[in-house]
Amino acid sequence: MSAPDLTHELRDSAEWSRLRAALLDADQLVRGLASGRRRGQPAPVTGGREVQRLEVRVVDLRAGRHLQVTSYDATQAHTANHLLGEAAEAAVDELLAQPFANWHVETATETHQLRVTKKGVPMLHTSARAEAVEVTRAHDRDKDRLLRGDDPVLVALGISDAQGRVKPSRQAKYRQVEEFLRLLDASLSDGLVKGHVRTPTPDDPLRIVDLGCGNAYLTFAAHQFLTMPTDRGGRGLPVRMTGVDVKQQSADHNASVAAGLGIEADFVVGSIEDARLEQAPDVVLALHACDTATDDALARAVEWEAALVLAAPCCHHDIAAQLRKAPPPAPYAALTRDGILRERLADTLTDALRAELLRGTGYRVDVVQFVESAHTPRNTLIRAVRTDGAHRSRGEYDDLVAAWGVRPRLGELLS
């Protein structure tokens, strides 16, 4: 949608006009979040870069009050500040002209959720807050971190020291958790607006399971961020977290940490494949589950019909071992002749096959980078959202499996 089209739409559409007014209400705006891409439209672009989502808020700078726009591409965040008045109005008009599928705008007293239908029709839902929240306009939000270094959860997990400073030796882990939370936040916001993820209530909170949780870094961090009140930078959602790990020692340790933090969370001892939950989860997380444990996690997510799945695979030994034994299809022998190339091919082939299998079970899937390779070489994330659409044909999956002579673990589990 071009800017001239936007001007016409803003003049004639009460939905867009109301959303625009909320974004430009400097006294009431808490934050605005745009995400998703409209069907059949190119990726949204700001500052000459394709972006996946953006956040809008009002900040007080030395030069006066500004509208701050933080846009996120596949690897990093970019911030631009616009002086309130004509500059901010022009910036908002430009943002609204981008083909985002969803807008979520919070003010001190209301929440606006706008979804653009397949036919391009804006559908706006506005609800009043139970209690008004205080608007914060500080611009130094600890580098826009979702969890500050002095957050009690980070201190309890040993990521930060007693003074609330992230330990030098734990910077990589902290970065992984932060970026994972950003993707979880964007995916949840998108799913809630589109209706793919159900709206939780205090009586029926959002059920999230972390498979292969280990020391539960992600379990605790996700719980803290998602349940934290919005005026403190969180999402204010009712959540019930469950961590699954094969080690009793991990469960005992995590239960002790949860008790110390006053967090209600469950820790189940057992393998991913055999773990039993009282209720099926809405969201399944798996951070760096090793080798076929990722396949186990994805298979359980499909079994539970989880609305949202975020899985960051670790090693890919299974397919790599099969590639060493199977003759490569012509003319691709050069891709498997050298060990390092064969390993990288195994990584790519494994995750491509996983994505195709999930698409075949009714999920919309994309594979993205969730943290820079400087922090971890295992920086691929599979994001799957369950939709109401028809299951996709497994033709491409069958062709790949036949060509390379491999038997993916996930394929066997789902069959």
Side-chain angles (χ1 to χ4, degrees):
M1 182 172 60
S2 64
D5 293 334
L6 173 68
T7 301
H8 175 77
E9 190 170 5
L10 284 173
R11 184 176 64 247
D12 297 338
S13 167
E15 291 84 1
W16 282 114
S17 296
R18 189 166 185 178
L19 191 75
R20 182 178 187 271
L23 288 168
L24 289 170
D25 189 344
D27 294 327
Q28 296 291 311
L29 179 66
V30 175
R31 72 152 189 166
L33 178 69
S35 62
R37 181 198 305 189
R38 298 182 200 172
R39 180 178 294 238
Q41 295 292 317
V45 176
T46 64
R49 294 177 296 270
E50 291 189 359
V51 297
Q52 298 176 349
R53 69 184 183 102
L54 58 82
E55 185 174 357
V56 181
R57 58 191 296 264
V58 176
V59 297
D60 287 328
L61 306 177
R62 290 183 179 179
R65 186 162 290 179
H66 285 65
L67 191 74
Q68 184 176 86
V69 179
T70 305
S71 56
Y72 300 87
D73 59 22
T75 60
Q76 59 184 320
H78 307 270
T79 300
N81 297 313
H82 309 276
L83 185 65
L84 291 187
E86 293 182 1
E89 292 175 7
V92 167
D93 287 344
E94 182 179 348
L95 296 178
L96 293 177
Q98 294 302 318
F100 286 107
N102 310 291
W103 277 91
H104 178 90
V105 179
E106 300 174 7
T107 71
T109 58
E110 294 180 319
T111 298
H112 307 276
Q113 292 183 322
L114 184 142
R115 176 178 63 88
V116 181
T117 68
K118 297 177 182 179
K119 296 182 178 180
V121 179
M123 305 292 291
L124 179 66
H125 174 73
T126 299
S127 58
R129 289 182 179 272
E131 295 182 2
V133 300
E134 182 180 354
V135 180
T136 59
R137 303 186 184 89
H139 69 280
D140 53 347
R141 295 193 304 167
D142 203 10
K143 297 182 179 180
D144 287 325
R145 290 171 175 170
L146 300 185
L147 289 182
R148 292 171 54 92
D150 59 359
D151 190 284
V153 164
L154 298 181
V155 175
L157 294 175
I159 293 177
S160 297
D161 60 23
Q163 287 71 45
R165 297 169 300 195
V166 177
K167 298 176 182 178
S169 62
R170 309 301 284 166
Q171 288 286 348
K173 174 63 70 176
Y174 178 50
R175 182 66 171 170
Q176 289 176 35
V177 171
E178 275 282 300
E179 293 306 315
F180 205 103
L181 289 182
R182 292 188 189 280
L183 282 165
L184 174 61
D185 179 32
S187 302
L188 263 183
S189 297
D190 185 51
L192 288 168
V193 169
K194 290 183 176 179
H196 297 314
V197 179
R198 68 177 181 86
T199 301
T201 66
D203 293 332
D204 191 8
L206 191 70
R207 298 186 293 273
I208 303 179
V209 62
D210 181 5
L211 297 177
C213 65
N215 287 330
Y217 295 103
L218 185 61
T219 311
F220 290 119
H223 185 280
Q224 183 76 341
F225 171 68
L226 293 176
T227 60
M228 188 185 303
T230 55
D231 59 339
R232 291 172 50 199
R235 296 298 169 256
L237 296 173
V239 171
R240 185 72 186 190
M241 294 291 302
T242 300
V244 175
D245 198 85
V246 71
K247 297 180 181 178
Q248 181 67 50
Q249 181 181 359
S250 294
D252 294 340
H253 170 268
N254 296 337
S256 176
V257 172
L261 290 168
I263 290 177
E264 292 187 9
D266 304 311
F267 294 96
V268 177
V269 178
S271 67
I272 293 174
E273 187 176 7
D274 297 327
R276 292 293 175 262
L277 307 180
E278 292 184 4
Q279 291 180 290
D282 302 295
V283 180
V284 172
L285 310 177
L287 179 60
H288 291 164
C290 188
D291 198 16
T292 56
T294 295
D295 300 304
D296 295 336
L298 296 176
R300 295 310 303 275
V302 172
E303 174 191 342
W304 287 320
E305 297 185 348
L308 173 64
V309 185
L310 295 178
C314 186
C315 44
H316 299 71
H317 298 315
D318 185 43
I319 294 297
Q322 294 184 48
L323 288 178
R324 286 195 295 269
K325 300 176 183 178
Y332 303 114
L335 297 180
T336 61
R337 185 171 296 127
D338 298 292
I340 187 172
L341 295 179
R342 185 171 58 246
E343 281 189 22
R344 291 176 178 174
L345 173 63
D347 291 357
T348 301
L349 182 59
T350 300
D351 291 333
L353 291 170
R354 287 166 171 164
E356 285 302 300
L357 284 168
L358 290 174
R359 293 182 180 112
T361 60
Y363 282 87
R364 185 180 73 245
V365 184
D366 56 348
V367 182
V368 300
Q369 173 180 287
F370 83 95
V371 68
E372 292 91 336
S373 57
H375 296 282
T376 174
R378 304 300 181 184
N379 62 347
T380 299
L381 183 132
I382 299 172
R383 176 170 52 194
V385 179
R386 191 168 187 83
T387 69
D388 298 327
H391 293 192
R392 178 170 163 176
S393 168
R394 284 177 48 165
E396 289 186 30
Y397 168 83
D398 292 335
D399 290 344
L400 278 172
V401 168
W404 287 98
V406 294
R407 298 180 59 189
R409 166 72 171 169
L410 182 58
E412 294 180 349
L413 291 172
L414 293 182
S415 65

